[in-house]
Amino acid sequence: MNVALSVLDLVPNCTGSNPAEALRRTVDLARLAERLGYARYWFAEHHSLASVASSAPEILIGHIASATTSIRVGSGGMMLPNHIPYRMAEIFRTLEALHPGRIDLGIGRAPGTNGAATRALRAAGSEHFSAMMNELVRFGGDQPYGPGHPYAKVTAMPTGVPLPPVWILGSSGASAAAAGAAGFGYSFASHFSTEPPAPAFRAYREAFKPSANFPKPHAILGVQVVCAETDARADELAQSMDLTWLRINRNQYLPIPSPEEAAAYDWTEIDREEVRQQRRLSIVGSPATVRARIAALVEDTGADEVMIVTNLHGHAERLASYELLTAAFAEQRRAA
C-alpha cells in the first residue's frame, strides 16, 4: 500500500500531566512525524474538553511550522461557525506568508464542543455555513467584492498571498459533493463517525471540478489508531481511550486516564457493551494487525491519504504508536 500517512493531533491532556505540558510536547510528535515521512500534521479545534488541549489550532500551526522544515501543517479543522470569515482569511494568509507552500486550511461546520461552550463562543448556526464559506473564499482573494458592495474596499492582509489549500471536513457525507464541486480537498472523520466513508468519497469524486490547488481530487480518511508491539499491549493501552470516550458520553469531562486507572474502573456490562461498539471505529493492535486493517479501508474507500489520530495516556507510548505504524508500512513496501 503506497498511500500517504499523516497526523491529526488533538493534543491529548492526561492525568499526571497538564494542558500546558501537552501543548509544549506537540513539537516532539511533529518533528518525529517529519522525520518518519508523514505528509502533513493537522490540529483539530475543540473546546471545553479536559482531555483535549487543542483549542487554538491557528496558534499551534504557526508554532509547529516554525519548529519543522518540510511537513505540511494545518487545521483539521478550524470550526468555521466559531470564527469571523474575514478574520480567518487574515490569519491563514499570514500563516501562508510566513510558511509558504506548507499550510493547509481544513474547515469544519460543527462548533466542536457542547451546547454551553457553543453559546460562549457566540457560534453561528450550521445553516450559515455556506454563506460563511463563500465569504472566507472571497476574502482569500485580492479583489473579493465588486463596486457597490459594502465590503468592496475591505482587504484581508497580507495581500499578494493566496489562501492556503482549503479542505472540507465531513463526518456524514453531507458536504462531500459541495467540496468536490468547489475544487477543495475532502477529509472524512471515520475516527468518530458511524457513517461509512466510501459513499462520501464517491460523491466527492463524482462532483469534483479541478482548481488551482487541486487539479485532481484528494480524499483523506481520518482513522483512530493505537499501535503497540502486540495486540494484547495495544488493547491494554486503548482502555484509556475507552474510558475517556465513556465519560464524555456521560457528560464527564476529565483528563485521559492511565491504563491502570481504566483497569480499576468499576465497569458495568452496559459500559463494556458501549465501549465494544465504540471500538469498532478504532484500529487497535500490533503493527501487522493495524497495517492490514488500514489497507482494507484504503481498498474499500480509495482514500488518497490516511490521517492517524492517537489519543493515548503517556507521551512515549503515543510517539511509539506512530513509529511502529510507520515501520510496518515501510516493511510492507520493501517486501513488495
Side-chain angles (χ1 to χ4, degrees):
M1 190 187 73
N2 203 29
V3 69
L5 297 177
S6 292
V7 175
L8 176 62
D9 193 353
L10 273 63
V11 192
N13 177 47
C14 308
T15 58
S17 182
N18 59 70
E21 186 175 357
L23 288 165
R24 290 191 292 269
R25 282 180 165 176
T26 57
V27 172
D28 297 340
L29 180 54
R31 286 175 172 162
L32 174 67
E34 182 171 72
R35 189 168 73 249
L36 294 174
Y38 281 78
R40 65 190 84 238
Y41 196 100
W42 282 4
F43 291 101
E45 178 185 349
H46 288 279
H47 301 279
S48 196
L49 286 176
S51 56
V52 174
S54 61
S55 58
E58 65 273 32
I59 296 174
L60 290 168
I61 290 167
H63 178 58
I64 293 304
S66 294
T68 54
T69 59
S70 59
I71 193 170
R72 295 194 67 92
V73 189
S75 57
M78 295 293 292
M79 301 296 107
L80 189 55
N82 302 339
H83 304 277
I84 303 299
Y86 172 61
R87 186 73 184 108
M88 191 181 294
E90 289 189 320
I91 289 169
F92 276 83
R93 291 181 89 172
T94 299
L95 287 168
E96 180 66 23
L98 293 171
H99 308 282
R102 292 185 56 208
I103 305 299
D104 292 325
L105 174 52
I107 299 290
R109 63 186 305 146
T113 187
N114 55 41
T118 298
R119 290 190 292 274
L121 287 162
R122 310 296 197 273
S126 60
E127 68 273 15
H128 300 293
F129 181 77
S130 294
M132 295 178 76
M133 273 301 306
N134 180 64
E135 192 171 308
L136 171 63
V137 172
R138 278 180 172 270
F139 279 124
D142 286 328
Q143 294 181 328
Y145 291 96
H149 193 279
Y151 298 154
K153 296 183 179 180
V154 178
T155 301
M157 294 294 289
T159 57
V161 179
L163 200 65
V166 174
W167 300 76
I168 299 297
L169 278 61
S171 59
S172 66
S175 56
F184 297 151
Y186 182 69
S187 180
F188 189 91
S190 68
H191 53 289
F192 66 79
S193 175
T194 57
E195 297 292 325
F201 281 6
R202 186 164 54 250
Y204 166 67
R205 292 191 179 97
E206 289 174 353
F208 185 81
K209 295 180 180 179
S211 65
N213 284 321
F214 295 94
K216 60 181 180 179
H218 194 109
I220 297 177
L221 183 66
V223 181
Q224 173 95 268
V225 173
V226 175
C227 189
E229 294 84 355
T230 65
D231 288 345
R233 177 57 176 163
D235 179 74
E236 179 184 352
L237 293 174
Q239 290 182 48
S240 297
M241 176 183 71
D242 295 338
L243 183 53
T244 300
W245 175 86
L246 185 73
R247 285 171 166 171
I248 290 174
N249 204 39
R250 285 156 171 65
N251 294 316
Q252 300 170 9
Y253 303 110
L254 299 168
I256 297 174
S258 68
E260 293 76 19
E261 290 175 273
Y265 183 77
D266 187 16
W267 298 89
T268 68
E269 281 306 310
I270 293 176
D271 294 339
R272 294 190 183 281
E273 179 55 30
E274 286 188 31
V275 164
R276 278 192 290 268
Q277 295 296 324
Q278 184 68 17
R279 271 281 192 108
R280 295 179 180 180
L281 302 180
S282 302
I283 298 177
V284 178
S286 66
T289 298
V290 169
R291 182 183 63 200
R293 288 195 58 192
I294 291 178
L297 282 173
V298 171
E299 183 175 0
D300 179 56
T301 62
D304 300 292
E305 188 174 329
V306 177
M307 184 163 279
I308 308 298
V309 56
T310 301
N311 290 324
L312 289 178
H313 184 283
H315 186 57
E317 288 79 3
R318 189 162 171 251
L319 297 181
S321 181
Y322 283 99
E323 286 189 285
L324 288 167
L325 177 60
T326 308
F329 280 105
E331 180 182 342
Q332 184 186 43
R333 293 186 184 109
R334 285 194 297 270

